[in-house]
Amino acid sequence: MQEHLNFYTDGAWTPAQGTRTLDVIDPSTEQPVARIALGDARDLDHAVAAARRAFPAWAAQGREQRLAVLHAVIAAYERRIDDIALAVSLEMGAPLTLARQAHAVAGLSHLRQTAEVLAGYAFDEVVNRTRVAREPIGVCGLITPWNWPMNQIACKVAPALAAGCTVVLKPSETAPLSALLFAQVLHEAGVPPGVFNLVNGDGPGVGAAMAAHADIDMVSFTGSTRAGVAVAKAAADTVKRVAQELGGKSPYIVVDGVDLPATIRHAALQCFRNSGQSCNAPTRLLVPVHLHDAATAIVVDVAQSLRMGDPRDAATTLGPVANAAQYGKVRECIATGLHEGAQLATGGLERPQGPTHGYFVQPTVFCNVSNTMAIAREEVFGPVLCILPYGTEEEAIAIANDTPYGLSAYVSAPDLAHARRIARRLRAGMVHLNGARADHAAPFGGYRQSGNGREWGRVGFEEYLEAKSMFGYEEALAA
């Protein structure tokens, strides 16, 4: 079993101040695969002090110097990408194929995209006689989740460093192995001491202290809406910037006239991908009432075709949910759906055939669901899909928008112009039209209780910058 009892601070691996430890559990076996130290406020203070000392010199680096470091990070990441994929699979249960082709590759994509943004970004602009400069915000505390660990680490750390900020990262304590490898990557790439720091810990021990820390200028948090509210409250006294990417209950509107088998199959696979543990997963499938039964049959076929088992087996297409707490929550949500009268089409509370251990949940489909039911309103974060019939397109849009969330939405229509019209009316930060994939160059984030701020690409890069107006900086125009 691996042991990771040190934190990466000020360019070196340093022992934790306290004695608390935590076993990292492989969710496919329920057995420990590693042990990590859990930090406390003292460990955080040490890391923040290192980041604060490193900030002036790093912020003063020119574009070319920071680009050189970023390209070195990309090269080091490429050398370790298989190790990163295996770590993700071990810590949160993703099938190794998915961990290689999606999780690890997403981290690399964000690094490359950030380098592209940095290479062409205009940090200064002239407005009349005013010079408007965009400068790094300072020391950033980054709190990342367990569901897409490397995606979230890279899409926060890369733009923060590229902007000239220094960072302290607190990854999820239940999925810390890929973060520890990422720290090794940055060390091998020659990131200067103090520019990047990592402290493992739980929310009460490190996360709350990070949000409240007076020497942290910005907190970027990804996780549940409940935890995001706590972070914002803890940060309020120091009036720091808080960027949040939170929960979702994304609708997928299917318009009559589409290729129904292809569209419904795409919707189901997007929902069940990563064992349903994606904040932007389309977990509410809205279909015309006369297509409800046909759509349900297609979704059931997809669900029953997924193979659950050892994530390191190439034949496995669906892994377990990531930890015991999530396993209990998903089962509780399924039980609630059954209790409130949602019609179970497949799946349910019984263990799937095959695996005898692990946090495996059958792909579960509820049909004839009303949007007033808890199963259609609350984020499950597991392989659970609700099918909601609608009568008119106006009704579909109303149902789609009837949610406290607003992260993502999906529309499939017979022609692009039709899909565009619906997309304009959806209250969500992102809309996928006719099966389009996400674009790492475009903003990622949501409305309402799905958070504030944006990640990815140029807009995500700008989250780590302050705007300074220098009035009268430019020479006056000749009369």
Side-chain angles (χ1 to χ4, degrees):
M1 189 169 75
Q2 305 175 39
E3 283 210 339
H4 301 285
L5 304 181
N6 297 329
F7 304 140
Y8 187 76
T9 55
D10 210 11
W13 293 95
T14 57
Q17 298 284 320
T19 59
R20 294 176 64 215
T21 62
L22 180 72
D23 285 345
V24 179
I25 305 299
D26 178 349
S28 69
T29 65
E30 303 177 52
Q31 297 300 309
V33 292
R35 186 164 62 108
I36 63 167
L38 290 178
D40 58 24
R42 295 170 297 171
D43 298 295
L44 180 65
D45 286 344
H46 180 67
V48 172
R52 180 60 63 191
R53 286 192 302 271
F55 174 67
W58 181 245
Q61 291 286 314
R63 182 199 313 268
E64 294 306 318
Q65 289 88 346
R66 290 206 293 268
L67 262 177
V69 171
L70 197 52
H71 284 303
V73 170
I74 291 169
Y77 189 104
E78 289 173 334
R79 291 192 295 270
R80 301 297 296 275
I81 197 165
D82 286 340
D83 296 335
I84 290 169
L86 180 58
V88 169
S89 182
L90 282 171
E91 67 191 358
M92 56 77 62
L96 188 55
T97 301
L98 181 70
R100 283 177 176 149
Q101 297 177 355
H103 286 267
V105 169
L108 182 59
S109 176
H110 288 303
L111 290 168
R112 289 172 172 167
Q113 181 61 45
T114 300
E116 185 175 329
V117 170
L118 177 58
Y121 190 76
F123 286 91
D124 283 17
E125 65 175 322
V126 175
V127 180
N128 299 322
R129 289 188 59 209
T130 301
R131 171 74 58 159
V132 180
R134 287 172 175 82
E135 301 177 342
I137 194 168
V139 176
C140 299
L142 312 178
I143 303 174
T144 56
W146 44 257
N147 62 315
W148 284 90
M150 189 48 59
N151 177 80
Q152 291 306 121
I153 289 169
C155 79
K156 293 182 192 295
V157 173
L161 298 190
C165 299
T166 55
V167 307
V168 180
L169 170 67
K170 190 205 88 65
S172 167
E173 68 273 21
T174 67
L177 303 181
S178 56
L180 291 161
L181 277 173
F182 190 75
Q184 294 176 23
V185 164
L186 268 61
H187 184 79
E188 292 169 10
V191 173
V195 171
F196 170 85
N197 307 273
L198 180 149
V199 177
N200 280 318
D202 55 19
V206 176
M210 179 178 283
H213 205 291
D215 281 334
I216 289 179
D217 302 295
M218 172 184 176
V219 170
S220 179
F221 171 83
T222 298
S224 70
T225 298
R226 175 193 55 79
V229 169
V231 166
K233 289 180 177 179
D237 287 341
T238 52
V239 200
K240 58 170 58 71
R241 184 181 298 176
V242 179
Q244 300 173 317
E245 197 271 285
L246 307 176
K249 194 69 178 177
S250 301
Y252 194 126
I253 297 177
V254 177
V255 178
D256 196 5
V258 300
D259 180 337
L260 194 68
T263 300
I264 299 300
R265 180 174 177 80
H266 174 263
L269 289 173
Q270 287 297 109
C271 175
F272 296 137
R273 187 178 189 234
N274 205 44
S275 298
Q277 299 168 128
S278 299
C279 52
N280 60 339
T283 53
R284 292 185 295 150
L285 179 60
L286 280 62
V287 298
V289 64
H290 68 281
L291 297 176
H292 173 272
D293 291 351
T296 299
I298 297 166
V299 174
V300 168
D301 182 65
V302 171
Q304 294 178 352
S305 72
L306 297 172
R307 176 168 173 173
M308 308 186 78
D310 180 358
R312 268 66 74 188
D313 184 340
T316 296
T317 55
L318 193 71
V321 295
N323 51 63
Q326 192 59 26
Y327 180 69
K329 179 192 172 186
V330 172
R331 287 174 54 81
E332 182 179 337
C333 289
I334 293 172
T336 298
L338 294 170
H339 176 74
E340 62 188 356
Q343 183 180 335
L344 183 67
T346 190
L349 293 170
E350 294 183 0
R351 284 190 65 89
Q353 292 184 350
T356 57
H357 297 86
Y359 306 127
F360 289 93
V361 176
Q362 291 189 73
T364 296
V365 180
F366 288 105
C367 60
N368 278 312
V369 173
S370 163
N371 207 47
T372 61
M373 295 178 176
I375 197 69
R377 302 194 67 80
E378 297 175 5
E379 185 177 42
V380 177
F381 227 60
V384 179
L385 176 62
C386 296
I387 304 177
L388 294 82
Y390 69 84
T392 66
E393 192 170 293
E394 288 296 318
E395 182 186 359
I397 293 169
I399 293 171
N401 288 335
D402 181 18
T403 172
Y405 299 108
L407 183 58
S408 193
Y410 302 72
V411 179
S412 283
D415 62 86
L416 184 57
H418 193 166
R420 287 170 176 163
R421 289 194 298 273
I422 296 175
R424 290 282 186 180
R425 299 180 61 190
L426 296 177
R427 296 287 295 164
M430 302 172 288
V431 185
H432 298 255
L433 279 63
N434 288 349
R437 300 177 63 180
D439 180 354
H440 286 170
F444 186 103
Y447 294 3
R448 298 192 295 265
Q449 291 187 27
S450 289
N452 53 62
R454 293 295 184 269
E455 295 184 314
W456 300 8
R458 178 184 60 80
V459 176
F461 176 81
E462 290 175 336
E463 289 285 338
Y464 297 92
L465 297 172
E466 292 278 28
K468 175 189 286 183
S469 295
M470 292 174 280
F471 307 113
Y473 188 98
E474 302 299 320
E475 296 285 350
L477 294 174

